[in-house]
Each structure stands twice: as C-alpha cells, then as structure tokens.
Amino acid sequence: MSGLILLRPWWLAALLPAIALAVLAWRRGPRAGGWEQVMPPQMLAAMQALGGFDGATNGWVRLLPVAALLALILGLSGPGIRQADAPLLARTDSVLIAIDMSPSVARGPALVAAQQAAAALLQG
C-alpha cells in the first residue's frame, strides 16, 4: 500500500463539513416529514402512537444521504495506485464521431446537418 496516491487531496477538506452535517442530522432526531412544524406536539405524539408515521426517516436511514456524500468526497479525492506496467496511449488525437441514426434523425434534415457538422470537424 506504499504506492497509494491521492490525486486530488483538497477534496478531503470537504470531509469536515460533511461530518458536521452527519452529526447535525443524527442529533436532530426522528422527523415526521414536516408535520412536526405544523401540528401540536400532543397531536403528533398521538399520531405516532397510532402508527400514522412509518418511521422511515428514523435511525440510520436519516444518515444515508450523508453517507453518500462521504463516499462521493472520498471518490473525488481520487485514491489511486501507481502501476509500473500501466499502458501508455501513444496517440491521443483520435476522434470518434457518433451520429444518432434513429428514425427521427435519419429521415429528416437533421441527418444532413449532422453529416455537415462531422465533415467540418474532420476538416478543421
């Protein structure tokens, strides 16, 4: 593991706000989908006792968006491992031109316009 390199380590600075967001989400407690803001606490407690809320936003489920954010931050920091036998691209000037040949394009003037744009790209 001595070859582990972070390609964009400045993304790791976003971990602190993400962790703070996770702590806030955890301390906030279970939510009732916004009903806690408009209902009296006694009525909300009665509805929860009767099973009016499914509890999907309780517990660890509230932290799933934060967990996705943490995974995104770690992915964007770009951990990589150098490989001595990694292939090198000798030519990087290749161009791939893809034209949509669905009936809506192939039957109308859009195909001619796409062909002209591809020809202009190849000439320039």
Side-chain angles (χ1 to χ4, degrees), residues 24-114:
L24 285 174
W26 185 255
R27 292 186 65 195
R28 192 171 188 188
R31 298 208 30 168
W35 285 105
E36 67 276 359
Q37 296 176 359
V38 295
M39 292 178 69
Q42 298 86 1
M43 186 182 291
L44 184 63
M47 285 190 67
Q48 287 175 337
L50 291 173
F53 301 111
D54 61 357
T57 56
N58 295 338
W60 61 272
V61 177
R62 293 175 291 152
L63 297 179
L64 285 178
V66 178
L69 178 64
L70 290 173
L72 179 68
I73 290 170
L74 290 175
L76 286 173
S77 68
I81 298 174
R82 284 197 194 269
Q83 296 178 348
D85 59 343
L88 296 175
L89 298 175
R91 294 184 52 174
T92 58
D93 59 347
S94 299
V95 176
L96 174 67
I97 299 174
I99 298 177
D100 180 15
M101 294 303 293
S102 63
S104 63
V105 174
R107 292 188 191 146
L111 179 61
V112 175

Side-chain angles (χ1 to χ4, degrees), residues 97 99 110-124:
I97 299 174
I99 298 177
L111 179 61
V112 175
Q115 289 173 335
Q116 289 174 350
L121 179 67
L122 291 175
Q123 290 176 359

